[in-house]
Amino acid sequence: MIHSLFLVNASGDIFLEKHWKSVVSRSVCDYFFEAVERATEPENVPPVIPTPHHCLINVLRQRIYFVAVIQSEVPPLFVIEFLHRVVDTFQDYFGVCTEAAVKDNVVVVYELLEEMLDNGFPLATESNILKELIKPPTILRTVVNTITGSTNVGEQLPTGQLSVVPWRRTGVKYTNNEAYFDVVEEIDAIIDKSGSTITAEIQGVIDACVKLTGMPDLTLSFMNPRLLDDVSFHPCVRFKRWEAERILSFVPPDGNFRLLSYHVSSQNLVAIPVYVKHNISFREGSSQGRFELTLGPKQTMGKAVESVLVSSQLPRGVLNANLSPSQGTYTFDPVTKLLSWDVGKINPQKLPSLKGSMSLQTGASKPDENPTINLQFKIQQLAVSGLKVNRLDMYGEKYKPFKGIKYMTKAGKFQVRT
Amino acid sequence: MLSPWFLCRNEDLKEMLESNKESLKLEAMKRIVGLIAKGKNASELFPAVVKNVASKNIELKKLVYVYLVRYAEEQQDLALLSISTFQRALKDPNQLIRASALRVLSSIRVPIIVPIMMLAIKEAATDLSPYVRKTAAHAIQKLYSLDPDQKEHLIEVIEKLLKDKSTLVAGSVVMAFEEVCPDRIDLIHKNYRKLCNLLVDVEEWGQVVIIHMLTRYARTQFVSPWREDAVFDENSAKAFYDSEEERRVDQSKPYIMDPDHRLLLRNTKPLLQSRNTAVVMAVSQLYWHLAPKHELSIITKSLVRLLRSHREVQYIVLQNIATMSIQRKGMFEPFMKSFYVRSTDATHIKTLKLEILTNLANEANISTILREFQTYVKSQDKAFAAATIQAIGCCATNISEVTDTCLNGLVLLLSNRDETVVAESVVVIKKLLQTQPSQHSDIIKHMAKLFDNITVPMARASILWLMGEYCEHVPKIAPDVLRKMAKTFTDEEDIVKLQIVNLAAKLYLTNSKQTKLLTQYILNLGKYDQNYDIRDRTRFIRQLIVPNEKSGALSKYARRILMAPKPAPVLQSAFKDRDRFQLGTLSHTLNSQASGYLELSDWPAVAPDQSVRNVEVVEPVKETGAPALSKSKHFDAVSWPVCVSLQASSPVFVPETSHELLHRMTGKGLSAQYRFTRQPCIYGNSMVSLQLTLSNSTDQALENIHISEKSSTGQNIHRFNAIERLEPQASVTVSMGVDFNDSTQAANFQLCTKEDEFSVSIQPAVGELLLPITMSEADFTKEQGKLVGMNESSATITMTPENVSSQSVNRKVVSVANLGVIPSGQENIYRFSGKTVSSGSLVLVSVVLKDPDAVITINTEKTVMGSMLLRQVKTALTNSGP
């Protein structure tokens, strides 16, 4: 399975290596560096790179490449999924997964990697289990450890490892018992030139933060569970009850976790909350181009559209842009040709617009494609699919927990072709 | 490495390690681990480090382990010093310490300790703690790679561990099996059903490995489920014209899926909902390689869902979809829009999406796809635009209706400003024209006109080739092009030069009057070219076409050689031949066999013996796994390996009928109905799960609906949480649990609202007091043999003819009682099994048909329930109707 792991930063330095079987020389990464050089963008590096004796599978997260060395047949997704799990664990432990964070905590990183894989095969990847084996570094704990000489390493096998609910540790205690659920939906859409929707779908997740004492057994029911087209669950969810009754029944992990992700595809269901009016044109023979963009709310069910951010990759021929926004600020990078406009909140009475001209290289011919506009936005208190949680019940424990639910809609990959 | 600074630093560390203070040692080890992480050599510290292996401080010890595993191979002699510490730790009462000692011991790649490792693995394989046994499974692979001669002994350990009932061990031992002895399929037989049943509870990484192994296993053990559909898959005309005889053969031997094959498909299906993309992919490939074609569609949605995941996941999933979409367009066609390219996608993702869209194109959707392609052609990413043009070419050849439209579109692109776009268009047009040249002489003319503006060599070469090949369609233009080329010959690229020579030769043969001199001139230029390929070609052409006394018999055939009709190139997907690899594997991604790839075998023509998978029922008492040691410390760990045979399975049939609990007239507007869900109750193991629907038919809201605390009969009732308010005309469904104590005595209780109390009672049918369980046929007969005498009740009935079919018997019985159906080998015997909810006693029902009579036998310890159940089954089977 996974032979070795190399962590490579954006400038191409290997800053951490770990081997689970015999040592593989870091010169194997030369093949990887070649591939990086060949790719124009960091994202374009192929995830699987064959070399004469090994195979390199890499994942790019937070501008760090995680390069795993493989020697024999293994499902590539297995490795990729594991590498992402490693990054998630680092984020969980250190707050961020940056080169500095990894270097500062190199001992914890090594201990973690040692526990996560044995002989290249995953051993413990569940965050609750890992946290019992290796306690996350905090300032307080570091101070205490230096004084008392105690360690960050657990001496007992984590309770979860052997139980039927490996994701939850026993003996959890809280003074305030609370369970919060965030329903977050992202709209992926492609809108064509004339403003009609080419494709639109909703990807939703329910993220939970559960801090409950003991072994609570929760059930969450929806007003309209039929909406959910395709779902994937955290392993804690009892699949049979979902199949039979469309109720989520589960013993939750302790802390933050993703309970469910779902998909709503059928096109007529998806309400597009904003529209974009655009007029971007270049004239043949002239070194000027016109740029006009207006945003407006469409189907928002009375909620405000916030944190709107417009970005667009202008054609290579554009030298500079001279625009004036009616609200917010815009930047144009003449090197990467990236235009971004931080709009903020859309006021339906006074629609935000960005107008002006672009100057083109003199003598250059008119670009044959108009740029694509990428849109980001947020709508609080709204799940655009109409999904509604009906109720949350708790069994197995006596106390009354504090329950909360929040809805939010965001733009996912939202593109407007012009 | 040997800089004085480094030396002195190492001295420093050595001193720290040798000090008496734990904290100093720990600090030193942390720094050393930092060095290892950076890839610096710290091997010379080995003697100082290894001394600390027996340290009491667990963190220090762990770091020493990390160091040992890294350097033991280089310092074998010194490493041996640490072995005795591990041997001692292997006997430690703490399971974590035992396990980590085994992990390190087996990771030290020192050949001398092979016998010690072997012993340790054998011991750990029988350890009480499943965690240690899991570590043992991992150690098997390590030992095997260190010393392959140990294979035979290791297989023995694998065989033992495969029998393990713990979900923790299953994944790891299958991994060891795959690495050490993947060909020993016989070891799987007895564990096949257990693995299928445990699968859902195994940790996700183990699931992937087990699913891949079971896919391979199933391909050797079951017959192909695809035979029947093959007829439907072909166009219906073939089925229609099939000779009657053949069809009769087909019908006389209908395909029946092996119950074990079905078990695998059924138990893997829920895993499509896993959050782990590798698991979803593994199940998808299992369905692709094992499921009947018409069941394949369930994997589509899950695969499309994965496309929302990380970039790398997308890449792998798209590759697999590309392979699937060649063979089965229909699967992904409804999701075509999910493959539309976004400008932010990475290049390799874009290319794959394009590939899939091309594969999905058919007469119905081609116009949509072409419209989408038009946007892509204008993309700023020119490599992608070029790939799109290739894709258009593919669509044009595959779907003859749109060939002309595509061709016209491509011709328009010839005036594009971007060179790569033009070049690609020319190349694609060339391929398309080869299929039908005669109708398109105007396109060739058009291309000749554009020729001067095109600079990409490949495109120029392609146009020249077209001119030469179809010079008879453009008799006026071709010689003129040759004239221009003669002028620029020396400045052209090599591929263009070759084509100029080619064009000259062809024109010489067809139109020697106009081009004789030009050809001579070009051949002379080519003769002195720097490139030997061109000199060779020139010499060859000259001998072939210019007749002289020395030229042999070949020149007579020059025309036939050069102007031979050439087959049009087939534009086909790059994923065409990838289906030779199992989907989801590394080999499939690389399109070449990776080391350790295990080939999927073809379906056997005749299924091997099914009975090899039968397992004798083992006494549940003995099941508790490892040898009973009296150290009670770990017992919490081992108490849960469950006896699989008595685990409740999901109900075969859930009746929709609900029974009245409270009529709205007696309930003053509140009505209640109940229904048995037949699921294991979540409130308690001995309870029967019920669903209550309460509706308010008054015109005011009812408040505080609940079950009163005092229950008049002795049953233990789990009440539903009080409903604070029920709006008029609204209804609500709640679930509750009642422990009926295995008797049909009614449960009486008070249903209360804020104002009133109503006495209600639930009278369960005996069949609802059961939970289905699955077991094999052999287990069934064995258990039945134990429950004879007064535990057996039977009756003979006369069956109504419409009840005789197997479906109707099964349906009738499971609708009366919540029982599991046991796959039966004999046609006229039906077996059902379940257990009572409260006490968990076994209830076995068998129906033996002896035309026209049937004998119903019920075996259970609960004789009263047995006789009541018998009466009900009897009435159900004698009654006609649905």
Side-chain angles (χ1 to χ4, degrees):
Chain A
M1 291 255 148
I2 299 172
H3 226 91
S4 305
L5 176 70
F6 294 97
L7 265 56
V8 180
N9 64 15
S11 51
D13 299 320
I14 302 173
F15 64 92
L16 187 105
E17 62 179 68
K18 168 90 183 119
H19 308 273
W20 283 275
K21 301 186 183 183
S22 42
V23 179
V24 178
S25 156
R26 55 164 69 188
S27 63
V28 74
C29 288
D30 292 348
Y31 294 98
F32 171 72
F33 294 133
E34 263 173 46
V36 173
E37 235 161 76
R38 239 176 290 134
T40 43
E41 302 275 324
E43 285 81 25
N44 286 350
V45 179
V48 183
I49 303 165
T51 78
H53 299 291
H54 301 91
C55 182
L56 306 176
I57 297 185
N58 70 82
V59 156
L60 176 68
R61 287 272 295 263
Q62 326 273 328
R63 315 207 328 126
I64 300 176
Y65 290 102
F66 291 75
V67 185
V69 183
I70 308 298
Q71 210 155 32
S72 57
E73 176 61 54
V74 52
L77 269 186
F78 186 96
V79 181
I80 290 170
E81 178 79 25
F82 177 78
L83 291 177
H84 282 296
R85 206 62 73 79
V86 169
V87 184
D88 293 341
T89 311
F90 287 176
Q91 275 177 345
D92 197 20
Y93 265 74
F94 314 130
V96 283
C97 179
T98 58
E99 185 180 352
V102 171
K103 277 182 171 167
D104 289 347
N105 297 293
V106 71
V107 175
V108 181
V109 166
Y110 239 67
E111 285 168 347
L112 276 174
L113 289 176
E114 189 72 31
E115 286 306 329
M116 291 180 84
L117 276 187
D118 180 17
N119 195 35
F121 190 79
L123 193 62
T125 49
E126 204 58 61
S127 119
N128 266 294
I129 290 181
L130 285 170
K131 281 192 174 156
E132 272 184 75
L133 278 172
I134 302 153
K135 304 205 174 64
T138 58
I139 296 171
L140 181 68
R141 194 168 289 135
T142 327
V143 175
V144 171
N145 285 353
T146 35
I147 297 166
T148 61
S150 62
T151 64
N152 280 334
V153 178
E155 299 197 19
Q156 288 296 329
L157 189 70
T159 43
Q161 188 69 278
L162 295 173
S163 78
V164 270
V165 281
W167 52 86
R168 190 172 179 90
R169 58 196 171 95
T170 50
V172 185
K173 268 216 166 67
Y174 288 103
T175 40
N176 293 325
N177 289 295
E178 26 187 41
Y180 296 110
F181 294 86
D182 289 357
V183 179
V184 181
E185 299 196 332
E186 295 193 353
I187 306 176
D188 285 359
I190 302 180
I191 312 286
D192 81 352
K193 216 180 240 179
S194 58
S196 56
T197 311
I198 294 184
T199 154
E201 51 192 29
I202 298 171
Q203 304 284 344
V205 293
I206 299 184
D207 282 332
C209 175
V210 177
K211 293 181 176 169
L212 296 174
T213 308
M215 270 290 169
D217 197 330
L218 303 180
T219 56
L220 185 80
S221 61
F222 298 104
M223 304 280 252
N224 37 12
R226 303 273 156 208
L227 262 180
L228 306 183
D229 200 20
D230 183 45
V231 279
S232 75
F233 300 116
H234 189 276
C236 68
V237 177
R238 297 185 180 100
F239 185 68
K240 287 205 172 118
R241 280 214 65 196
W242 171 257
E243 284 268 273
E245 304 167 53
R246 297 271 150 181
I247 285 175
L248 292 175
S249 151
F250 55 98
V251 176
D254 184 35
N256 294 311
F257 66 101
R258 175 155 295 175
L259 178 64
L260 165 89
S261 22
Y262 60 91
H263 184 108
V264 180
S265 68
S266 148
Q267 209 177 105
N268 45 10
L269 273 177
V270 183
I272 304 289
V274 284
Y275 69 86
V276 179
K277 263 204 279 190
H278 51 79
N279 181 6
I280 303 171
S281 60
F282 304 97
R283 250 176 304 140
E284 194 69 68
S286 146
S287 65
Q288 290 286 315
R290 228 159 52 133
F291 190 100
E292 266 185 55
L293 207 64
T294 312
L295 302 176
K298 211 165 151 189
Q299 296 153 288
T300 61
M301 298 154 212
K303 302 282 194 309
V305 185
E306 297 167 9
S307 318
V308 182
L309 186 75
V310 178
S311 63
S312 175
Q313 180 80 45
L314 296 186
R316 246 165 298 168
V318 177
L319 273 186
N320 210 341
N322 186 13
L323 309 171
S324 57
S326 71
Q327 72 180 73
T329 51
Y330 87 97
T331 53
F332 176 72
D333 184 346
V335 183
T336 57
K337 314 290 182 204
L338 190 73
L339 172 79
S340 66
W341 175 28
D342 191 348
V343 185
K345 197 168 160 178
I346 295 184
N347 178 0
Q349 268 74 51
K350 192 170 158 289
L351 298 178
S353 65
L354 183 66
K355 285 179 191 158
S357 64
M358 298 172 286
S359 54
L360 292 156
Q361 244 160 349
T362 40
S365 49
K366 139 183 188 292
D368 37 47
E369 192 206 29
N370 275 338
T372 316
I373 295 164
N374 293 306
L375 219 59
Q376 283 169 38
F377 55 80
K378 263 185 211 163
I379 305 171
Q380 305 279 2
Q381 308 299 333
L382 172 75
V384 73
S385 68
L387 186 76
K388 271 227 152 54
V389 171
N390 184 21
R391 55 184 295 145
L392 176 75
D393 296 308
M394 187 181 74
Y395 305 97
E397 294 290 337
K398 293 269 180 279
Y399 55 84
K400 269 246 179 278
F402 188 79
K403 302 178 267 190
I405 181 133
K406 217 167 73 183
Y407 298 92
M408 174 144 73
T409 298
K410 286 202 280 191
K413 296 172 182 165
F414 198 103
Q415 291 198 338
V416 182
R417 292 176 178 166
T418 61
Chain B
M1 278 299 144
L2 290 172
S3 71
W5 169 81
F6 188 77
L7 268 183
C8 96
R9 174 142 182 211
N10 271 0
E11 283 307 317
D12 185 35
L13 287 172
K14 226 179 249 176
E15 248 166 55
M16 287 168 81
L17 283 170
E18 273 156 16
S19 80
N20 293 327
K21 275 195 180 160
E22 290 271 289
S23 57
L24 270 182
K25 287 181 178 180
L26 191 61
E27 184 56 39
M29 276 319 293
K30 282 185 174 172
R31 281 200 222 160
I32 293 170
V33 167
L35 288 178
I36 297 175
K38 276 189 214 124
K40 300 239 167 70
N41 189 1
S43 61
E44 53 176 34
L45 290 165
F46 203 97
V49 174
V50 80
K51 278 180 209 154
N52 293 305
V53 74
S55 166
K56 287 272 180 296
N57 182 321
I58 194 145
E59 186 166 20
L60 180 60
K61 191 146 82 173
K62 277 216 165 156
L63 295 178
V64 173
Y65 285 0
V66 168
Y67 182 91
L68 262 179
V69 173
R70 173 70 178 74
Y71 287 114
E73 214 171 359
E74 296 171 25
Q75 309 257 354
Q76 306 213 346
D77 294 341
L78 285 169
L80 293 179
L81 295 175
S82 61
I83 302 298
S84 62
T85 322
F86 297 128
Q87 282 176 303
R88 221 168 326 150
L90 284 172
K91 303 265 187 298
D92 197 280
N94 183 335
Q95 49 183 338
L96 184 62
I97 292 179
R98 285 204 303 280
S100 59
L102 180 62
R103 269 180 71 187
V104 183
L105 182 68
S106 54
S107 302
I108 295 175
R109 287 166 293 274
V110 179
I112 305 175
I113 62 160
V114 165
I116 300 178
M117 272 164 77
M118 194 66 225
L119 209 67
I121 291 173
K122 277 189 179 161
E123 216 155 274
T126 56
D127 200 285
L128 273 172
S129 153
Y131 185 70
V132 178
R133 297 203 296 276
K134 183 187 177 78
T135 321
H138 287 202
I140 292 174
Q141 304 162 53
K142 298 184 213 169
L143 181 55
Y144 179 67
S145 63
L146 183 66
D147 181 9
D149 293 342
Q150 300 292 324
K151 189 170 174 180
E152 287 312 310
H153 298 286
L154 289 175
I155 292 178
E156 279 169 33
V157 184
I158 291 176
E159 194 172 357
K160 196 183 295 165
L161 284 175
L162 274 172
K163 294 199 184 104
D164 206 302
K165 292 261 186 325
S166 161
T167 49
L168 203 57
V169 185
S172 302
V173 66
V174 170
M175 188 64 224
F177 169 85
E178 291 278 82
E179 204 122 304
V180 179
C181 51
D183 46 340
R184 288 290 302 277
I185 239 121
D186 56 298
L187 296 180
I188 304 299
H189 291 322
K190 291 266 181 247
N191 300 299
Y192 174 82
R193 288 178 195 155
K194 183 196 73 187
L195 284 174
C196 287
N197 287 323
L198 284 185
L199 198 56
V200 189
D201 297 319
V202 174
E203 35 88 39
E204 38 198 358
W205 310 107
Q207 286 173 344
V208 179
V209 176
I210 296 177
I211 291 171
H212 273 271
M213 188 276 289
L214 289 178
T215 311
R216 236 165 16 89
Y217 177 86
R219 280 292 274 262
T220 62
Q221 298 299 317
F222 307 128
V223 290
S224 167
W226 300 338
R227 195 181 44 180
E228 268 191 322
D229 331 24
V231 181
F232 298 110
D233 255 10
E234 304 284 303
N235 43 14
S236 53
K238 185 168 179 275
F240 183 76
Y241 289 117
D242 253 352
S243 66
E244 279 300 301
E245 229 173 330
E246 265 181 50
R247 273 217 266 170
R248 222 171 300 136
V249 174
D250 266 1
Q251 275 166 0
S252 67
K253 268 204 307 183
Y255 167 76
I256 299 167
M257 188 182 272
D258 189 312
D260 287 329
H261 190 171
R262 175 52 66 202
L263 177 75
L264 177 61
L265 292 176
R266 195 174 52 223
N267 284 1
T268 46
K269 192 178 155 195
L271 296 180
L272 281 173
Q273 257 66 45
S274 171
R275 63 164 171 175
N276 187 318
T277 56
V279 175
V280 179
M281 189 68 231
V283 179
S284 305
Q285 67 84 24
L286 180 129
Y287 264 78
W288 177 259
H289 291 293
L290 298 180
K293 300 283 189 206
H294 58 89
E295 285 174 39
L296 208 56
S297 54
I298 63 161
I299 66 173
T300 316
K301 261 188 198 171
S302 310
L303 283 175
V304 172
R305 185 186 70 226
L306 297 191
L307 294 181
R308 265 289 296 203
S309 195
H310 299 284
R311 169 186 75 97
E312 298 84 6
V313 176
Q314 275 186 44
Y315 174 70
I316 304 289
V317 174
L318 284 172
Q319 269 189 333
N320 285 290
I321 292 181
T323 304
M324 292 186 194
S325 61
I326 292 177
Q327 285 184 35
R328 300 187 68 81
K329 276 184 197 195
M331 252 174 93
F332 291 98
E333 214 198 308
F335 295 90
M336 195 174 79
K337 291 194 168 158
S338 306
F339 303 108
Y340 279 5
V341 175
R342 291 161 197 281
S343 60
T344 40
D345 285 336
T347 311
H348 47 260
I349 305 271
K350 285 182 187 164
T351 337
L352 281 169
K353 283 187 171 174
L354 211 52
E355 183 75 46
I356 293 167
L357 284 176
T358 317
N359 290 341
L360 293 182
N362 59 23
E363 283 86 354
N365 60 23
I366 183 70
S367 56
T368 330
I369 288 185
L370 281 181
R371 207 174 319 128
E372 186 66 17
F373 279 177
Q374 273 170 12
T375 332
Y376 302 164
V377 169
K378 282 190 261 162
S379 163
Q380 291 178 24
D381 180 351
K382 290 306 165 198
F384 171 57
T388 309
I389 294 167
Q390 288 278 3
I392 295 175
C394 273
C395 292
T397 41
N398 294 342
I399 301 161
S400 51
E401 279 90 338
V402 292
T403 313
D404 285 341
T405 335
C406 291
L407 210 47
N408 290 335
L410 289 171
V411 170
L412 283 183
L413 285 178
L414 288 177
S415 33
N416 196 293
R417 256 188 312 270
D418 191 85
E419 258 178 23
T420 36
V421 172
V422 177
E424 205 64 42
S425 316
V426 170
V427 175
V428 173
I429 289 175
K430 181 197 112 183
K431 288 180 184 164
L432 283 182
L433 285 187
Q434 256 181 290
T435 49
Q436 49 210 123
S438 51
Q439 308 151 22
H440 296 296
S441 52
D442 46 336
I443 292 180
I444 300 179
K445 277 179 204 153
H446 185 72
M447 286 169 85
K449 268 183 222 152
L450 290 169
F451 186 73
D452 294 337
N453 301 325
I454 294 172
T455 52
V456 178
M458 191 60 212
R460 287 174 77 86
S462 294
I463 296 184
L464 288 174
W465 184 88
L466 269 180
M467 292 287 151
E469 192 64 23
Y470 306 116
C471 51
E472 278 154 346
H473 299 294
V474 282
K476 294 222 174 85
I477 295 171
D480 192 51
V481 171
L482 187 66
R483 181 184 58 79
K484 281 190 201 157
M485 292 322 293
K487 277 200 270 184
T488 56
F489 185 86
T490 44
D491 303 327
E492 298 290 346
E493 288 280 333
D494 290 344
I495 43 168
V496 185
K497 283 178 183 170
L498 285 176
Q499 287 310 325
I500 297 173
V501 174
N502 225 340
L503 173 65
K506 284 176 182 167
L507 283 176
Y508 182 83
L509 289 174
T510 52
N511 188 359
S512 62
K513 202 164 70 192
Q514 275 187 306
T515 57
K516 191 170 178 185
L517 282 173
L518 266 176
T519 309
Q520 293 281 359
Y521 174 68
I522 287 169
L523 288 180
N524 280 335
L525 283 177
K527 195 173 169 186
Y528 299 107
D529 198 88
Q530 284 188 330
N531 186 309
Y532 53 78
D533 271 344
I534 294 167
R535 294 200 299 274
D536 267 3
R537 175 74 61 89
T538 319
R539 206 169 298 133
F540 162 70
I541 294 283
R542 187 189 293 273
Q543 291 300 322
L544 190 62
I545 59 172
V546 185
N548 58 15
E549 59 276 14
K550 268 189 287 175
S551 63
L554 214 54
S555 61
K556 264 188 269 171
Y557 300 106
R559 198 183 163 89
R560 273 170 69 186
I561 290 172
L562 282 175
M563 305 301 281
K566 299 171 182 69
V570 187
L571 297 173
Q572 68 173 10
S573 165
F575 284 80
K576 192 90 192 160
D577 57 340
R578 289 222 181 172
D579 54 353
R580 64 201 158 115
F581 294 112
Q582 186 177 355
L583 289 185
T585 60
L586 182 63
S587 305
H588 176 266
T589 299
L590 298 175
N591 198 17
S592 69
Q593 189 154 339
S595 78
Y597 174 74
L598 301 163
E599 200 129 341
L600 268 189
S601 65
D602 277 332
W603 299 100
V606 183
D609 185 14
Q610 308 180 358
S611 62
V612 287
R613 283 184 292 275
N614 291 348
V615 193
E616 302 94 61
V617 176
V618 233
E619 291 295 309
V621 195
K622 283 189 201 154
E623 272 312 294
T624 340
L629 259 163
S630 53
K631 271 189 200 160
S632 59
K633 219 173 170 187
H634 318 300
F635 262 98
D636 58 328
V638 268
S639 55
W640 66 279
V642 276
C643 176
V644 182
S645 58
L646 271 185
Q647 229 174 7
S649 60
S650 57
V652 184
F653 172 79
V654 181
E656 289 296 324
T657 49
S658 38
H659 314 272
E660 185 142 280
L661 188 65
L662 181 65
H663 191 264
R664 67 185 158 85
M665 298 311 284
T666 41
K668 299 185 185 164
L670 175 70
S671 70
Q673 296 201 306
Y674 68 94
R675 172 173 103 77
F676 293 95
T677 62
R678 292 195 169 183
Q679 304 284 345
C681 185
I682 51 166
Y683 309 116
N685 281 336
S686 56
M687 286 190 178
V688 175
S689 154
L690 283 161
Q691 209 176 56
L692 225 57
T693 310
L694 303 162
S695 354
N696 180 358
S697 50
T698 59
D699 44 7
Q700 308 147 18
L702 291 170
E703 287 178 13
N704 192 21
I705 305 171
H706 64 280
I707 295 176
S708 141
E709 292 293 321
K710 45 183 196 287
S711 154
S712 43
T713 42
Q715 285 96 345
N716 185 5
I717 296 176
H718 183 99
R719 297 167 185 83
F720 56 87
N721 288 4
I723 298 162
E724 279 163 21
R725 194 178 162 85
L726 189 61
E727 294 299 328
Q729 304 308 328
S731 64
V732 64
T733 305
V734 291
S735 57
M736 58 183 286
V738 181
D739 185 353
F740 286 104
N741 229 335
D742 287 353
S743 96
T744 50
Q745 202 190 4
N748 299 321
F749 54 91
Q750 314 280 327
L751 194 62
C752 312
T753 62
K754 201 178 171 194
E755 288 97 16
D756 300 288
E757 279 191 11
F758 310 103
S759 289
V760 291
S761 76
I762 293 177
Q763 170 90 48
V766 63
E768 306 295 347
L769 302 177
L770 304 173
L771 279 176
I773 55 179
T774 44
M775 54 167 71
S776 68
E777 211 173 333
D779 293 351
F780 184 93
T781 31
K782 195 168 168 200
E783 289 296 329
Q784 202 176 26
K786 290 185 200 157
L787 295 167
V788 286
M790 62 176 288
N791 289 335
E792 185 174 275
S793 42
S794 68
T796 312
I797 53 163
T798 315
M799 297 280 281
T800 41
E802 65 261 41
N803 283 356
V804 178
S805 79
S806 69
Q807 274 160 351
S808 76
V809 172
N810 281 346
R811 200 180 56 232
K812 294 249 165 173
V813 176
V814 295
S815 64
V816 167
N818 191 12
L819 291 168
V821 181
I822 291 174
S824 165
Q826 292 133 295
E827 261 185 41
N828 54 346
I829 303 182
Y830 304 99
R831 297 190 171 94
F832 309 89
S833 63
K835 62 172 182 182
T836 59
V837 174
S838 294
S839 59
S841 343
L842 217 51
V843 178
L844 307 171
V845 177
S846 62
V847 179
V848 182
L849 295 187
K850 287 181 203 142
D851 202 36
D853 291 346
V855 181
I856 310 167
T857 317
I858 292 177
N859 303 67
T860 177
E861 279 173 7
K862 302 266 169 188
T863 41
V864 184
M865 286 184 81
S867 57
M868 286 166 82
L869 188 59
L870 181 67
R871 215 177 311 143
Q872 298 213 345
V873 174
K874 230 164 81 182
T875 15
L877 286 176
T878 41
N879 274 356
S880 50

